[in-house]
Structures are given as C-alpha cells and as structure tokens.
Amino acid sequence: MYVDRHALRALVHYSAAETVEEGELRKWLTVLVDKATDEARDEFSSAVSNGDYPHNAVTPLPQPKNGGSLAITKAPPALILILGESVDPDTRDPRNDVPKELEETLKVALASWDTAKLESQIADTGWLAPVDTPDIPGPEDVPQDAQDAPQDAPQDAQDAPGDVPANDDPEDTQETPAPNDSTPVEEAHSLRKKVFIATGVVAAGLAVWMWRRRSRS
C-alpha cells in the first residue's frame, strides 16, 4: 500500500480550512489528477460531478455513501486520487510505503476520515503506528458506590489503636492518687478535735506538774 504522506497532509489541511483559494486548490488537484490512474480519475470525476467544484473535492461527506471505493464513504473525494496514484518508479518515495501491520488501521482512519489519527501516523521518517488516547472516565463512569462513599474517614477510624492523640499531654497519662472522699467540713471538724485533745493533754500535764511543785513546797 502506497500513500503519499505530503498529499494526504495537504488534504487534511484543505478539508478543515474555512476558506480555500480556488486557484490554489485547482492547481493542487490538477497535480493529483495527473498522477492518478485512469480508474481513479473516472471515480473522482463521478464523485465531484454534482456540487461546487473544486471545493467539493476536499469537503468530507456528511453521510457515508453506499458503493464506490472505501475512500469515499466519508472522506473527501480527492482521497480517491491520492490512493489511486500511479507511482513512478523514478520518483517513488519508500517512506510512503505503509507497513503491512499498519494497513488496516490506516484504511479505517481514511474511510472514517479520522484526521486526528491520520496526523498522528504521519511523520518525516514515514508512517507510524497510530497514537491511541486513553479514555478518561467521567463522573457517569464512576460506580455509584464510589460516588456515595464518604471522602474522609471518621476520626475514630483514622486514629490507630494504641496511638496517643496529638493534643494529649503525656503527663496526663500518669496515674493520679485517688481523691479523698472527705468533705472540707469533715476535715475541719477532725482537725479541731485533734487540737482539742492535744490541748487537754497539755493542760493535764501542766496541772500535774503544778500540783507536785506545791506538794514539795
């Protein structure tokens, strides 16, 4: 399979341009017609017979067309000339030879006119494997259970067993003596009782001492 990369890149440009100078476009199409086989010329002429030529030659088809070559199911009719090129051995560019393993993916991209994939396969060194962009799941693709799950775990679940909370003072973990069950009134009464007993003992001792002193006199 031989596909001129430069011609295809130009067609991608013309098909996406809002305005194209008619004289420039006619010259470019004339070159393609001169290089194409008789069969490709006839198919191209039939495809652009109705419409605004030359602009309809580079306009992608809005709806797939039944019949005809694979190239014109959705792609611009000018692609018929590019794929139907009668390659001159003297001017053949080997970099335009599509590797066998890439032919099927390239044909699908051409038929559906997937310009993003086509441009990703065109390089100065030749044809490359297509670059597939991974699909990023949107909110509708996320399972319902995952959407309903709380974003933050409860505080009790975040604290591992045995961990000391950050705001706790290590000194608070030490054992404190058991509080005294006595009330302040009871403690005061007990203190007065002890003082009264001590005073009585002292007074009794003093009385005995004075009695003995008088007896000796």
Side-chain angles (χ1 to χ4, degrees):
M1 184 177 182
Y2 186 90
V3 181
D4 189 327
R5 306 182 330 279
H6 303 293
L8 182 60
R9 182 175 285 169
L11 179 57
V12 170
H13 167 72
Y14 287 135
S15 67
E18 294 183 0
T19 58
V20 181
E21 204 278 322
E22 182 174 337
E24 174 188 346
L25 188 55
R26 285 183 178 274
K27 290 180 181 179
W28 180 74
L29 289 172
T30 299
V31 174
L32 294 184
V33 171
D34 291 341
K35 292 182 177 180
T37 62
D38 292 339
E39 182 181 358
R41 292 174 184 175
D42 292 341
E43 187 175 351
F44 173 74
S45 298
S46 175
V48 298
S49 59
N50 297 321
D52 181 21
Y53 186 84
H55 298 287
N56 62 346
V58 295
T59 302
L61 301 177
Q63 297 294 333
K65 180 179 178 180
N66 295 327
S69 68
L70 178 66
I72 62 171
T73 56
K74 193 173 182 180
L79 185 58
I80 300 172
L81 300 175
I82 296 175
L83 296 180
E85 180 181 353
S86 178
V87 184
D88 186 346
D90 296 333
T91 59
R92 182 187 185 95
D93 186 349
R95 292 174 296 182
N96 288 332
D97 289 322
V98 181
K100 291 291 184 181
E101 61 273 16
L102 300 182
E103 285 187 3
E104 290 304 318
T105 56
L106 180 59
K107 287 179 180 179
V108 172
L110 290 171
S112 59
W113 199 237
D114 188 344
T115 57
K117 183 166 289 187
L118 290 173
E119 289 184 320
S120 71
Q121 292 186 252
I122 299 174
D124 293 337
T125 56
W127 288 99
L128 304 176
V131 177
D132 293 328
T133 304
D135 295 332
I136 300 176
E140 65 279 1
D141 299 326
V142 179
Q144 187 64 31
D145 293 342
Q147 294 180 8
D148 297 338
Q151 298 298 322
D152 298 325
Q155 186 66 30
D156 294 340
Q158 294 179 3
D159 294 335
D163 292 346
V164 178
N167 295 331
D168 287 354
D169 190 342
E171 295 181 359
D172 293 342
T173 60
Q174 299 178 358
E175 294 183 0
T176 57
N180 191 351
D181 296 334
S182 301
T183 64
V185 176
E186 293 174 344
E187 291 178 357
H189 179 71
S190 178
L191 180 59
R192 290 194 190 99
K193 185 176 180 180
K194 291 178 181 179
V195 172
F196 178 79
I197 293 173
T199 303
V201 172
V202 173
L206 181 59
V208 172
W209 178 78
M210 291 180 66
W211 179 77
R212 289 179 180 178
R213 184 177 180 184
R214 289 175 182 177
S215 296
R216 291 175 185 175
S217 311

